[in-house]
Amino acid sequence: MENYKKIIEDIYLEVKNVDDIGKVANYIPELAFVDSNNFGINITTINNESFGIGDSETKFSIQSVTKILSLTLAYKLEGEKLWERVDVEPSGNPFNSLLQLEADLGKPRNPFINAGAIVVCDVLISHLKNPKEDFLNFCREISDNTTLNYNEKIAQSEKSSGFRNIALCNFIKSFGNIKNNVDEVLDFYFHICSLEMTCKELSQMFLYLAEDNFITKKGTKIISESQTKRINAIMLTCGFYDESGEFAFRVGLPGKSGVGGGIIAIHPDKYCISVWSPKLNKKGNSYKGMLFLEKFTTKTTSSIF
Ligand code: GLU
């Protein structure tokens, strides 16, 4: 950890002063109110040592980072049958694109684009008695943190402006790949995207993807080693929308970003690192977040390649 710490401190200062060419997401009105100067980082190693710097303990809306959690729960409940509903191929398209769905007959390319995450929400609704509550409890159990919660204001803000997601859900339903009520699926989707966490909480929570033998404090094994491998593989190939190749090229770790400006990245058997900086590049990924991680894996020579 000492080695990581010094490198993180140095890169933090360097990147903090870089001119940020990104823009805060404002298509969800509530996200535009977030202070764009926030910049936080936290690393947690598999032996549970944690180090954070900057705004690492400020909560923010994790947005699409939550799609790893919804995928994890759906995969756990549905098993391999899940892949009949959603594919595992990079889309090469923006996160909210409707384009491919027509040609692919309503089967989304992967669980991390909005279309795929909406289908995953539908799968979860079919399994869970109280989807919003049960999902939250699942997240609370993994992180051993009962304070985790949705941000109702952000969920409502997206609900009132999420026209593309509403279109996506209806479009997929027309192909028969949404089984439940469209309003219920979207309400659930908007809520899981509004989940709030700090960088510190994120890097602790996602250790289950870095550590094969991870078990919760209650003694539950979340997913099998093979499922862990597969989720990491989808993160590497599809975690950054149509910039997934670029992230793998520059950073070299499986990861996932969200339009709230958060990114988590996993080094299997070593650590989970999270970065938060709200201004996004043109592809919807945190500008400084990506820059930080590129410098971090380069200086620590700790990518998976
Ligand atoms: N709730 C956001 C949306 O559906 C998530 C997108 C993201 O973080 O990439 O537009």
Side-chain angles (χ1 to χ4, degrees), residues 239-293:
F240 294 81
Y241 322 116
D242 47 341
E243 203 175 29
S244 300
E246 179 81 10
F247 188 84
F249 181 75
R250 282 172 51 190
V251 179
L253 292 177
K256 180 78 201 88
S257 69
V259 293
I263 299 181
I264 69 129
I266 309 290
H267 194 310
D269 303 323
K270 279 197 177 150
Y271 60 75
C272 173
I273 188 162
S274 61
V275 185
W276 176 43
S277 168
K279 286 192 179 176
L280 312 177
N281 65 18
K282 286 210 169 77
K283 305 275 184 173
N285 299 309
S286 170
Y287 174 73
K288 285 195 175 176
M290 268 179 83
L291 190 61
F292 175 89
L293 289 170

Side-chain angles (χ1 to χ4, degrees), residues 177-243:
N177 198 15
I178 292 286
K179 314 287 178 198
N180 297 283
N181 176 283
V182 164
D183 292 335
E184 196 187 341
V185 176
L186 286 165
D187 180 64
F188 182 43
Y189 173 75
F190 294 142
H191 274 85
I192 68 163
C193 288
S194 79
L195 191 69
E196 284 193 315
M197 291 179 71
T198 68
C199 285
K200 187 174 182 181
E201 289 167 339
L202 280 169
S203 76
Q204 287 169 340
M205 174 173 229
F206 285 103
L207 269 190
Y208 76 92
L209 291 174
E211 205 186 323
D212 280 338
N213 296 318
F214 183 93
I215 46 165
T216 66
K217 285 262 156 57
K218 282 189 186 158
T220 317
K221 186 162 170 66
I222 314 220
I223 40 172
S224 70
E225 274 134 71
S226 157
Q227 288 173 320
T228 305
K229 174 193 81 180
R230 289 179 169 180
I231 292 177
N232 271 295
I234 305 171
M235 285 165 65
L236 184 75
T237 50
C238 312
F240 294 81
Y241 322 116
D242 47 341
E243 203 175 29

Side-chain angles (χ1 to χ4, degrees), residues 121-140:
C121 280
D122 183 61
V123 170
L124 286 176
I125 289 176
S126 299
H127 279 278
L128 304 173
K129 223 167 159 199
N130 303 300
K132 284 189 267 186
E133 218 179 296
D134 297 346
F135 177 76
L136 202 53
N137 285 335
F138 175 69
C139 298
R140 287 175 174 173

Side-chain angles (χ1 to χ4, degrees), residues 25 27-28 31 61-67 95-96 112-115 117-118 154 158 162 164-165 168 189-190 192-194 239 241 256-262 280 283-285:
Y27 74 98
I28 301 173
L31 289 184
S61 170
I62 70 169
Q63 291 296 320
S64 280
V65 177
T66 202
K67 292 171 183 171
F95 66 101
N96 55 6
F112 292 152
I113 49 172
N114 288 8
I118 288 171
I154 292 181
E158 186 167 11
R164 289 192 77 92
N165 289 323
L168 278 170
Y189 173 75
F190 294 142
I192 68 163
C193 288
S194 79
Y241 322 116
K256 180 78 201 88
S257 69
V259 293
L280 312 177
K283 305 275 184 173
N285 299 309

